[in-house]
Amino acid sequence: MPGQRPAPRRPAPPGAERPGPKPRPAGIPKPGPRRPEPAAPQVAVQHLAATAAQALERADEAVDRLLDSGRDPGAVLVLTVGEPHPWQRHELSFGEERYWAQLAEGRDVFYADAALTRPARREVVVLVVNGGTADRAAAAFTEARGRAAELLVVCGDAGPAAAAAAAGAPVGRRLTA
């Protein structure tokens, strides 16, 4: 029975017998060495020693000094570990919607609980350790450090876990009262 005949073999294209990458055409530069990724900016950490009862007062002093030095109020976020800051309570008295709008507007110092779940990042974060457990203070320290772009001011005792975490951060000069 007649069938298809095999087609004659075609010659291989030129250069097919050479394994490996094809040579680059002239005029196309080879890639240079890779540049390293820019390092993430480090957040300076300042500590203001205070008891839980003194922490709010120390934080208010720190905020005043920041503003007096020319820092924009919208660049400062104050987070409390224990009881809410009196300014937070005051702002909440105008309603939740207005309170959260202030965070979004970013024109004034914003006061919130350290367990803040909304996205908030500011140049300076002041962490007020005015109560709560040592574990909560340590977790708040880690969270506050992630929210600060330049400076984290810790008012009070953030506990041994926070101290260990702070050991890897550049420590700014201690603020004095």
Side-chain angles (χ1 to χ4, degrees):
M1 191 160 166
Q4 284 188 328
R5 287 201 220 153
R9 293 195 60 152
R10 295 166 75 194
E17 56 276 347
R18 284 187 294 171
K22 294 183 179 183
R24 289 181 164 269
I28 298 178
K30 293 183 179 181
R34 298 187 122 218
R35 292 184 183 172
E37 293 290 322
Q42 291 290 327
V43 174
V45 178
Q46 295 177 344
H47 181 257
L48 296 173
T51 65
Q54 300 167 326
L56 276 173
E57 183 179 334
R58 298 289 288 181
D60 288 341
E61 293 167 0
V63 170
D64 287 344
R65 279 193 303 276
L66 289 164
L67 299 177
D68 289 345
S69 71
R71 186 75 67 167
D72 179 44
V76 180
L77 174 64
V78 179
L79 300 173
T80 55
V81 174
E83 291 294 315
H85 191 283
W87 269 110
Q88 179 184 359
R89 280 194 221 114
H90 172 75
E91 295 301 334
L92 279 167
S93 72
F94 297 104
E96 290 270 335
E97 187 176 320
R98 181 67 200 126
Y99 173 73
W100 292 115
Q102 284 185 330
L103 174 63
E105 291 166 1
R107 288 186 287 203
D108 204 357
V109 176
F110 190 78
Y111 296 85
D113 187 275
L116 179 68
T117 57
R118 296 184 184 223
R121 185 164 168 84
R122 300 277 174 101
E123 290 176 17
V124 179
V125 175
V126 178
L127 178 63
V128 185
V129 186
N130 60 333
T133 65
D135 287 344
R136 182 158 190 265
F141 173 84
T142 302
E143 183 68 25
R145 190 170 166 200
R147 293 182 184 275
E150 295 176 13
L151 175 64
L152 170 59
V153 180
V154 180
C155 301
D157 182 10
V171 178
R173 63 178 172 72
R174 293 176 73 96
L175 296 175
T176 56

